[in-house]
Amino acid sequence: QLVESGGGLVQTGGSLRLSCTASEGTFKTYAVGWFRQATGKEREFGAAQEREFVAAIDWNGRMTYYDPSAKGRFTISRDNAKNTVYLQMNSLEPDDTAVYFCNADPGYPPSRMTQYWGKGTLVTVSS
């Protein structure tokens, strides 16, 4: 089970740190990804394929990958002792407003088809 936390309301230019914490010890052997889906859309949050990729990290933190929109502003990291992956988000913009989801997958980069998804945390950036 994955649980996201750290979302909230922030002004443009502000920062937030999201956390993705797992209850399973095997989490430390999995790659983890952060995805997001903008709110206010008519479609539901059910389809993982509709979520926009943000960042990913391999099981030991040696490899990371970012969407161009996140590169230079967001940093993904992990603490396997705490079964937690973080997403530090700086210089936030209104377009970053979305529900942020994490997933976990044995492969890298993590696939949207994995069964391991959290329920999301809402990030709202005000202008």
Side-chain angles (χ1 to χ4, degrees):
Q1 180 181 5
L2 302 179
V3 178
E4 301 94 338
S5 62
L9 174 64
V10 65
Q11 292 185 334
T12 296
S15 299
L16 285 173
R17 188 177 79 159
L18 306 184
S19 298
C20 172
T21 302
S23 56
E24 297 281 337
T26 53
F27 178 76
K28 57 178 58 72
T29 67
Y30 280 47
V32 172
W34 282 100
F35 295 76
R36 66 188 181 186
Q37 188 159 14
T39 59
K41 302 291 185 181
E42 292 182 359
R43 62 188 179 221
E44 296 181 353
F45 297 142
Q49 292 88 339
E50 296 180 351
R51 296 169 185 172
E52 176 187 355
F53 170 76
V54 178
I57 189 167
D58 72 338
W59 72 274
N60 63 5
R62 291 179 182 173
M63 290 192 290
T64 59
Y65 181 71
Y66 298 90
D67 180 80
S69 67
K71 197 168 186 179
R73 299 188 301 131
F74 296 0
T75 302
I76 190 170
S77 62
R78 69 188 301 158
D79 184 343
N80 282 344
K82 297 181 179 179
N83 279 353
T84 300
V85 170
Y86 303 99
L87 184 68
Q88 177 67 43
M89 305 189 296
N90 299 327
S91 302
L92 284 163
E93 304 165 351
D95 284 348
D96 295 317
T97 295
V99 177
Y100 284 71
F101 301 86
C102 66
N103 77 350
D105 190 63
Y108 178 80
S111 169
R112 283 184 175 86
M113 303 309 295
T114 179
Q115 61 180 310
Y116 304 111
W117 284 91
K119 295 184 178 180
T121 185
L122 176 62
V123 171
T124 303
V125 184
S126 63
S127 57

